[in-house]
Amino acid sequence: MAAVNALQPTDRLRRSFVYRILQANGAVFEEINGGAVAMRFGASTESEVAKARRLGLADLSPLPRTGFKGVGTVDWLTAQGLTIGPDSNRAYRQSGGELAARLAPTEVLLLDSLSGDGALIERLNGAWGWSTETPRKPIGYPMPRADSHCWFAVTGEQAPAMFAKICGVDLRPNKFPEGAIAQTSVARINGIVIRQATALPSYYLLADSASAEYLWHGVMDAMLEFDGGPVGLAAVRELSSGV
Amino acid sequence: MNGTGVNGAGMNGAGRLPAPAGRLIDRNRTVQFNFEGRSYEGFAGDTIASALAANDVWLLSRSFKYRRPRGVLTMAGQDANTLVQIGPEPNVLADRRSIGNGISVLGQNYDGSLENDRGRWVESFGRFMPVGFYYKAFYKPKSAWKFWERVIRNKAGLGKVDVDAHHGYFDKQYLFADVAVIGGGPAGLSAALQAAEAGAEVILVDDTPELGGSLNYARFDGSGEMARTVGGELRAAVALTPNIRVLSAATCTGWFSDNWLPVIAGDRLYKMRAKAVVMATGSIEQPMVFRNNDLPGVMLGSAAQRLISFYGVKPGRRAVVATANADGYGVALDLIEAGVAVQAVVDLRPSVAPSPLAKAIFNRGIRVVTGHTIAEAMPSAARDRVAGVLVAEITGEGTFAQAAETIECDLVCMSVGYTPAGQLLHHAGTKFFYDRASHMFQPGVVPAHVFPAGSVNGTYNLDTVIAEGRHAGWAAAKDAGLAAGAEPAMSGEKGAAGQTHPWPIFPHPKGKDFVDFDEDLQVKDLINGLADGYDNIELLKRYSTVGMGPSQGRHSAVAAVRITAKETGRDIAGMSVTTQRPPYMPEKFGHLAGRVFEPERHTAMHHRHIEAGAKMMVAGLWYRPAFYGPSENREQAIREEVLSVRENVGLIDVSTLGGLDIRGADAAEFLNRLYTFAYAKQPVGRSRYVLMTEQAGAIIDDGVACRFHDEHFYVTATTGGVDAVYRQMLFWNAQWRLDVDVANVTAAYAGVNIAGPRSREVLQKLCDDVDLSAEAFPYMGVRTGTVAGVPVRLLRVGFVGELGYEIHIPASQGEVVWDALMAAGQPFSIRPFGVEAQRVLRLEKGHIIVGQDTDGLTHPYEADMAWAISRKKPFFVGGRSIEIQAEKGLTRKLVGFTLDDPQAPVPEECHLVIRGGAIVGRVTSAVRSPSVGKVIGLAYVAPDQAEVGQSFDIRIGGGRMIEARVVPIPFYDPENKRQEM
């Protein structure tokens, strides 16, 4: 049971697309960058990390993210100081821990680090604007990824086996290396799966924000046989620490 | 029955053998279950059939047609004799399904009780039911079928479906392998090990609970040590190999293109994709054909061995073994060691081929009768089990001497040969040919990436089987792209010759010599079918249904080919068995359906609607509030919601509307080409109607284009149409190569429309950075600003015909803005309104809904939307077609109408417009308008009926005709002053 005066998602303007489900599961929320993030689910940190090591599902939707798309996108982002490699369907880690997920030659999805301070995202969103020069230099266009997509993390040894129930891509660590991206169907909706750079299998799953509740329930159902369950950002951070 | 009323199968049960027999059962765990209303005990690991056999219950079910008693035949889940019903689940394989505590099992195909079936009389009339009789009877006179259909449906069997049974939980899972090995016998185990040694990721699929295949029950030498040793070594090696994943008790039911392999285990369907496949599916032992060969107690030799080895069940007390190969002697040895009195080994061959197994039998002094066959099995007094056999000398192919010896027995084992379990190879396109030397069908050319090994490939010698498995594993790994190393040696005698008798079929003058147990087909049935002209095996199959039952010809196909060859005088070497198609084993609909994924899309305000008592409706994947309040108050709720918008202020969730950001130097040109209107000169800060037509000129979507920058349009689309519009945009953008980027941002924006004469007052309380006055922010204007502290896009559009603002909000903040607007509107008695009220409101304004007021052929002139076409631009998609259609003249036109009769009912959508008995149009929308106070609607009418003031007739429900009159639209506020306030 959360404390009476504990932060609730409805205390903030930006709300996770699954905040009611998180509340129903006893989530304890903390504010990060203007949003209420499910930090843990009432269990001890040790047991929640143990669950995350086995199979956990975390909602990272309130954390900052954005995207850019169109001709000139990668050049512009590179000029902004990002390191983006030549391959599409690869996520490139930035110095601050952010991920630049290159979804296509001219499309990049930017995910903040698990700190959620959003500095890089904010800087990029602020830097983009309509140029007045003629002809205008192509720099791509911003994409409202914080609102178009929910952002989940699926963690733990059993994550590949769980994904095999809802996704046709072979996501086992030996076949789907760190930083690999699959834009595919997950539980019959479009999803973006990104393998995190962690010792244990861990994936970011981004999908249609309007389908977030459906997807959460679908993933949870698939997790049941592995004794998986919801975990908070704290456990995800713990798994990612040292990377 | 023991003292507790439970029939026991504990260690002291009469039918149980001591260990090491019973390798699959756990004697420390007893399981209680019911069969035919009686309680029995078995051990964990027992199947229903083995547990019942341990309790000396051999009658499991009855046959499909003649209701003959049936029992164990294969103990391998390969036959239909053991199909039983468990609760609502029909057709459960009793020799495959494990017992569970408390399950209630019933036999199938009987009336009354299994032991005393009231329907047994059917068999007496067997001679009136020759093959194909149902094609020739029951249809004369015509009325007869009505009677017979009920009788036949009542008698038709294979269990009872409980249509009220609850949905089970089934699911699916993908699997990936470099090499899939199907079959866990010696060939499969060897193949898996070899492929794994080459570094391949191997998935080994076996349909039994324990790897080993025939090594687990068959005898390869006199002592039986060879199977134990080899099996143990192979299993241990597999267990120690980390890159072999074993799926036990799993059945691969088919082979599909690119090595896509469905594998069923429990309630899960695995969808496996492998780079290469080793087919080590083994072979299927074949029954003999003789009179009463279906009696319980008559079983395959391998079935008796499985009962002993797997379940520690003594298969009988006194046995006769009929054989034509060395394996039959192995069966006899196993029976002797199990304490069964082997009365005789009846060898069909003129003499016994030397083998260690035969030698062991001779050494034990067991009687061996060569050149003889079982001519007939005799039933017990209760006719539910074999009580003896008549053994007669073979006089020719399928014939025997009349003089016969009677041998009493309660068990008859048949070991007369095999056929390859080649179903999966069939699926992969492999043709099978008849090999005269072995009297068996064997696979011919196999497709790429598929490698057969073991007895499915006609190899029976154990050493050769293992070598062949190794070679197949190596070849598969190499085929999968791995450095497989040196090619393993593959030599040795295949050992197929002498395994299978060429004619184990002994028709009896009195019949009941069953070729196909599933369908109760006797030898004479096939002969009669051939005589009827169905002289090809594929035709005979369809006419007689041989091989069409649940076991799909596994035990009848070869015999049917032999009989066909003989009766038609053809050479069997030129024939093949009938085509095998997936699935190899029965699949449940649950397996195919799997876990049900039904995606739903919820708007950011979804739960607010639920909390407000909305009745939700489905729009594609979206859920939208239809109206607020209980269903029984539907009409009143809609009316009140309409009036609230007209007179006060209402709020509707329009998040489901599509949203597309069109950005780039050519954005206006892009819209010019895609939509009917003109956009090049559209000012920034203004919106304009968009109407999309496809290349044939038909209307496919509409919305508004909001210009937020010279190079940026935010275009809305209909809820159901946005995905198609987005695809159209991507397609044409790729064709035209304009400097444009298209982004579908539908999910990114929640949307609300606050509408009504007081909407500005409400919005003003929450928005201080946009001048909302009519002068500063006029109708069709668009702005960006903040509402309740949230950055939004504001659109002054008028779908409902009142002063109003569409507010497009980042989805994560949609609920906040909804809450803020509802709170701000409280002093004005704001109320939410749903899709139903919106439909009324828009109809009062005469706005069409694409897909409701248009169909797949409607072009803009028909819809009276010529006003939406720009004639000053050179091109738009569909433009040329529209002009051609316009020049050809209209065949119908959409008009607004009212009913003069205030008592007339409201026509429904698709009620027809009739003139002179002919259909000239239809109603597309109609309501009793709360604002106008009469019935209003839109309808297609003949062009010469479309003038304002003309009347036309609508045929409503019951065929009644009502008169409607064409009126100008909008019906409400024709000068559009209210939306422009």
Side-chain angles (χ1 to χ4, degrees):
Chain A
M1 179 73 75
V4 174
N5 294 320
L7 176 71
Q8 292 300 314
T10 46
D11 297 335
R12 293 292 173 267
L13 294 183
R14 285 197 299 110
R15 296 171 187 175
S16 164
F17 312 103
V18 293
Y19 81 80
R20 284 179 172 79
I21 298 173
L22 303 176
Q23 284 176 320
N25 280 281
V28 176
F29 296 92
E30 287 184 16
E31 177 168 344
I32 297 180
N33 215 328
V37 182
M39 196 58 74
R40 61 189 64 83
F41 283 83
S44 70
T45 304
E46 291 75 20
S47 67
E48 194 156 308
V49 170
K51 178 170 280 189
R53 289 184 188 282
R54 186 170 61 249
L55 184 59
L57 175 63
D59 175 41
L60 309 183
S61 297
L63 298 187
R65 59 196 174 282
T66 188
F68 294 90
K69 174 173 174 278
V71 176
T73 291
V74 172
D75 288 344
W76 181 74
L77 288 173
T78 303
Q80 296 297 318
L82 273 69
T83 304
I84 300 173
D87 295 332
S88 296
N89 286 320
R90 295 286 306 173
Y92 300 94
R93 192 176 176 82
Q94 307 302 305
S95 57
E98 306 88 351
L99 283 184
R102 189 167 190 169
L103 303 179
T106 58
E107 183 170 8
V108 175
L109 164 68
L110 284 153
L111 302 174
D112 199 10
S113 72
L114 294 176
S115 74
D117 68 19
L120 176 63
I121 309 290
E122 196 175 335
R123 178 168 70 79
L124 291 172
N125 283 337
W128 192 92
W130 292 102
S131 162
T132 54
E133 62 183 335
T134 306
R136 187 172 58 82
K137 187 181 176 187
I139 60 170
Y141 306 96
M143 295 291 291
R145 295 296 190 192
D147 293 284
S148 64
H149 284 67
C150 60
W151 179 9
F152 298 157
V154 181
T155 67
E157 295 280 6
Q158 299 297 330
M162 187 284 297
F163 266 121
K165 295 170 65 178
I166 56 175
C167 175
V169 176
D170 190 351
L171 298 176
R172 290 175 298 165
N174 59 332
K175 301 289 183 182
F176 194 70
E178 291 175 3
I181 295 174
Q183 298 178 69
T184 182
S185 174
V186 179
R188 273 190 69 199
I189 63 172
N190 293 335
I192 303 168
V193 183
I194 304 171
R195 168 93 193 278
Q196 278 186 277
T198 51
L200 285 169
S202 183
Y203 307 84
Y204 289 148
L205 170 60
L206 294 101
D208 170 31
S209 58
S211 304
E213 291 181 321
Y214 158 78
L215 184 62
W216 179 279
H217 288 305
V219 173
M220 285 302 301
D221 181 78
M223 291 169 77
L224 278 179
E225 73 171 280
F226 305 104
D227 194 24
V231 297
L233 175 61
V236 179
R237 281 176 173 168
E238 179 68 23
L239 289 192
S240 304
S241 62
V243 176
Chain B
M1 189 169 289
N2 65 19
T4 61
V6 176
N7 296 281
M11 274 298 291
N12 299 320
R16 289 290 183 186
L17 301 166
R23 61 194 304 146
L24 297 184
I25 58 171
D26 179 355
R27 296 172 200 255
N28 296 316
R29 289 193 293 145
T30 57
V31 176
Q32 188 181 332
F33 69 104
N34 290 299
F35 179 65
E36 289 290 320
R38 291 182 196 153
S39 185
Y40 295 93
E41 266 186 5
F43 291 125
D46 258 324
T47 63
I48 295 164
S50 68
L52 289 172
N55 285 282
D56 208 23
V57 176
W58 296 92
L59 172 60
L60 294 173
S61 210
R62 285 188 175 269
S63 70
F64 175 70
K65 183 175 172 186
Y66 294 138
R67 306 291 190 90
R68 289 175 64 87
R70 291 286 165 81
V72 165
L73 176 65
T74 65
M75 280 309 292
Q78 296 276 5
D79 62 281
N81 281 11
T82 64
L83 292 179
V84 294
Q85 179 112 14
I86 302 179
E89 185 181 2
N91 301 320
V92 175
L93 290 163
D95 58 349
R96 181 58 67 91
R97 178 70 62 86
S98 297
I99 53 173
N101 265 320
I103 63 168
S104 287
V105 184
L106 296 171
Q108 293 188 167
N109 302 328
Y110 64 83
D111 294 318
S113 72
L114 178 61
E115 290 170 343
N116 296 297
D117 172 25
R118 291 198 298 269
R120 275 189 300 183
W121 58 267
V122 172
E123 187 176 1
S124 311
F125 290 83
R127 64 197 173 99
F128 299 112
M129 295 186 284
V131 63
F133 77 98
Y134 40 87
Y135 298 133
K136 303 168 184 170
F138 310 125
Y139 68 95
K140 284 183 180 177
K142 264 189 173 179
S143 58
W145 176 243
K146 282 189 175 176
F147 169 77
W148 286 112
E149 183 185 16
R150 206 175 40 171
V151 174
I152 291 168
R153 287 195 186 282
N154 195 34
K155 288 291 173 196
L158 294 184
K160 292 183 173 60
V161 174
D162 179 359
V163 294
D164 296 322
H166 76 282
H167 295 275
Y169 187 96
F170 292 79
D171 72 359
K172 299 180 183 179
Q173 188 168 8
Y174 291 93
L175 283 177
F176 309 93
D178 293 324
V179 175
V181 178
I182 312 301
L189 291 169
S190 307
L193 286 166
Q194 185 72 35
E197 279 176 28
E201 268 193 318
V202 178
I203 293 180
L204 174 57
V205 179
D206 189 63
D207 62 356
T208 65
E210 187 184 33
L211 293 175
S214 59
L215 295 170
N216 290 345
Y217 60 86
R219 186 178 280 253
F220 291 82
D221 60 355
S223 67
E225 271 306 310
M226 184 185 289
R228 277 193 285 275
T229 304
V230 173
E233 288 172 357
L234 289 172
R235 272 193 300 274
V238 166
L240 290 172
T241 307
N243 50 332
I244 298 178
R245 179 179 174 185
V246 176
L247 291 180
S248 293
T251 305
C252 178
T253 59
W255 180 97
F256 295 90
S257 297
D258 301 324
N259 287 339
W260 194 95
L261 302 161
V263 177
I264 289 175
D267 288 339
R268 177 167 293 170
L269 171 67
Y270 290 99
K271 299 185 282 188
M272 176 158 56
R273 183 79 73 181
K275 293 175 184 169
V277 181
V278 175
M279 296 289 191
T281 46
S283 51
I284 300 169
E285 189 160 35
Q286 296 291 287
M288 283 176 69
V289 177
F290 54 82
R291 178 170 165 79
N292 292 333
N293 60 342
D294 63 332
L295 280 172
V298 180
M299 65 183 72
L300 300 175
S302 54
Q305 290 179 307
R306 285 184 168 102
L307 276 172
I308 294 168
S309 177
F310 291 167
Y311 308 108
V313 172
K314 190 174 170 180
R317 294 174 182 82
R318 289 183 298 176
V320 170
V321 177
T323 188
N325 55 28
D327 291 344
Y329 291 84
V331 171
L333 284 169
D334 284 341
L335 293 174
I336 292 165
E337 289 183 5
V340 180
V342 176
Q343 304 295 85
V345 174
V346 178
D347 198 321
L348 277 58
R349 298 170 294 183
S351 61
V352 179
S355 74
L357 298 171
K359 186 179 176 187
I361 284 293
F362 284 117
N363 289 344
R364 290 174 185 250
I366 301 298
R367 183 185 172 204
V368 176
V369 188
T370 57
H372 280 62
T373 185
I374 294 174
E376 179 179 352
M378 294 172 298
S380 62
R383 305 189 69 80
D384 61 355
R385 192 167 182 190
V386 65
V389 292
L390 288 178
V391 174
E393 186 180 3
I394 297 172
T395 55
E397 188 178 79
T399 61
F400 50 83
Q402 285 202 340
E405 175 192 358
T406 302
I407 302 176
E408 291 187 354
C409 60
D410 61 357
L411 171 66
V412 175
C413 293
M414 304 175 286
S415 298
V416 293
Y418 303 91
T419 193
Q423 285 80 358
L424 300 183
L425 286 172
H426 265 280
H427 304 170
T430 299
K431 300 291 184 192
F432 280 67
F433 67 93
Y434 190 78
D435 176 49
R436 291 184 194 281
S438 63
H439 311 300
M440 285 188 281
F441 286 95
Q442 293 196 4
V445 178
V446 294
H449 317 301
V450 177
F451 304 89
S455 58
V456 72
N457 198 36
T459 306
Y460 286 82
N461 179 290
L462 183 56
D463 290 338
T464 314
V465 164
I466 289 170
E468 191 170 282
R470 285 267 177 197
H471 191 272
W474 169 84
K478 189 163 178 275
D479 187 71
L482 293 145
E487 182 174 0
M490 192 177 73
S491 61
E493 186 58 41
K494 286 175 81 81
Q499 292 287 346
T500 298
H501 193 274
W503 194 267
I505 303 165
F506 296 92
H508 194 282
K510 292 181 182 174
K512 301 299 182 279
D513 39 17
F514 291 100
V515 175
D516 189 314
F517 297 120
D518 298 13
E519 306 279 328
D520 278 346
L521 288 167
Q522 307 157 72
V523 175
K524 68 180 180 187
D525 292 322
L526 299 189
I527 292 173
N528 290 339
L530 292 162
D532 280 354
Y534 298 93
D535 58 355
N536 176 286
I537 187 64
E538 293 285 0
L539 296 175
L540 182 64
K541 170 184 170 181
R542 283 151 183 81
Y543 183 63
S544 68
T545 68
V546 63
M548 291 174 68
S551 60
Q552 289 287 287
R554 285 190 279 271
H555 305 103
S556 61
V558 176
V561 173
R562 286 188 167 124
I563 291 168
T564 302
K566 183 175 184 178
E567 293 298 316
T568 59
R570 288 190 213 130
D571 182 359
I572 192 171
M575 301 175 68
S576 183
V577 291
T578 53
T579 305
Q580 309 283 319
R581 298 181 180 87
Y584 167 54
M585 293 290 281
E587 294 169 338
K588 296 181 180 182
F589 287 128
H591 286 126
L592 302 180
R595 184 159 155 264
V596 177
F597 290 107
E598 291 179 350
E600 293 179 2
R601 303 187 83 185
H602 295 168
T603 73
M605 292 76 89
H606 178 83
H607 293 279
R608 290 291 186 250
H609 305 319
I610 304 287
E611 290 157 7
K615 178 78 175 170
M616 302 301 282
M617 59 182 282
V618 174
L621 298 181
W622 290 102
Y623 280 72
R624 303 193 68 187
F627 57 91
Y628 293 81
S631 296
E632 57 269 26
N633 292 347
R634 178 179 184 277
E635 299 305 323
Q636 183 187 344
I638 295 169
R639 180 182 174 80
E640 288 176 0
E641 289 171 20
V642 168
L643 292 176
S644 172
V645 174
R646 289 281 178 246
E647 297 169 0
N648 197 20
V649 59
L651 187 66
I652 183 171
D653 181 354
V654 295
S655 304
T656 64
L657 288 180
L660 300 142
D661 275 330
I662 314 298
R663 293 171 290 193
D666 294 329
E669 173 62 17
F670 186 66
L671 296 190
N672 256 1
R673 296 187 190 187
L674 269 176
Y675 289 103
T676 60
F677 244 162
Y679 304 94
K681 294 179 180 173
Q682 179 181 335
V684 170
R686 298 285 293 178
S687 64
R688 188 166 287 180
Y689 182 70
V690 292
L691 183 69
M692 180 177 276
T693 55
E694 39 85 280
Q695 284 173 294
I699 295 169
I700 54 174
D701 205 68
D702 71 348
V704 293
C706 311
R707 195 165 201 171
F708 285 106
H709 183 271
D710 272 347
E711 298 187 20
H712 178 200
F713 288 84
Y714 176 55
V715 180
T716 67
T718 60
T719 298
V722 62
D723 288 340
V725 168
Y726 181 53
R727 282 196 297 273
Q728 286 280 314
M729 287 181 168
L730 294 182
F731 174 81
W732 287 114
N733 196 25
Q735 298 284 314
W736 296 332
R737 295 169 183 260
L738 295 173
D739 182 2
V740 165
D741 183 81
V742 181
N744 184 349
V745 295
T746 300
Y749 289 97
V752 297
N753 184 7
I754 183 165
R758 311 206 65 176
S759 58
R760 182 179 286 128
E761 294 171 72
V762 176
L763 187 57
Q764 267 173 339
K765 293 171 69 175
L766 301 169
C767 178
D768 57 11
D769 56 356
V770 177
D771 183 348
L772 298 178
S773 67
E775 299 74 28
F777 189 2
Y779 181 64
M780 296 303 280
V782 295
R783 300 285 185 272
T784 56
T786 57
V787 172
V790 175
V792 298
R793 292 172 175 178
L794 289 160
L795 287 57
R796 267 206 69 183
V797 290
F799 194 50
V800 299
E802 296 291 344
L803 170 66
Y805 302 85
E806 252 185 45
I807 309 170
H808 292 231
I809 314 146
S812 61
Q813 300 171 76
E815 190 176 81
V816 169
V817 173
W818 175 273
D819 289 347
L821 287 166
M822 288 298 291
Q826 204 167 19
F828 305 92
S829 300
I830 192 172
R831 64 180 292 166
F833 65 102
V835 174
E836 296 291 0
Q838 183 182 240
R839 284 177 176 170
V840 174
L841 291 160
R842 69 89 198 178
L843 185 56
E844 290 174 342
K845 288 299 295 178
H847 294 312
I848 65 161
I849 294 178
V850 174
Q852 175 168 329
D853 300 304
T854 67
D855 54 40
L857 298 172
T858 306
H859 60 75
Y861 285 97
E862 287 180 336
D864 201 19
M865 298 183 74
W867 56 269
I869 298 173
S870 168
R871 292 177 181 78
K872 294 179 180 172
K873 59 185 185 182
F875 169 82
F876 64 90
V877 176
R880 178 69 180 138
S881 300
I882 292 167
E883 290 310 315
I884 291 170
Q885 288 166 329
E887 284 179 23
K888 282 170 64 179
L890 300 181
T891 59
R892 59 177 180 165
K893 191 167 185 186
L894 191 68
V895 298
F897 69 85
T898 63
L899 304 182
D900 290 333
D901 179 0
Q903 304 304 318
V906 181
E908 295 176 11
E909 293 154 19
C910 277
H911 276 166
L912 299 176
V913 176
I914 303 290
R915 181 165 67 179
I919 300 168
V920 295
R922 64 183 173 88
V923 174
T924 62
S925 299
V927 296
R928 193 176 299 280
S929 163
S931 312
V932 181
K934 59 173 73 172
V935 172
I936 60 170
L938 298 173
Y940 285 102
V941 298
D944 61 356
Q945 292 177 307
E947 288 298 318
V948 169
Q950 286 187 292
S951 295
F952 60 91
D953 292 328
I954 300 169
R955 188 165 67 198
I956 62 171
R960 181 182 161 195
M961 304 293 282
I962 57 174
E963 186 180 42
R965 188 163 47 83
V966 178
V967 295
I969 49 177
F971 303 97
Y972 173 79
D973 184 25
E975 294 177 347
N976 295 326
K977 291 192 179 302
R978 297 181 66 85
Q979 66 195 27
E980 295 171 11
M981 288 167 63

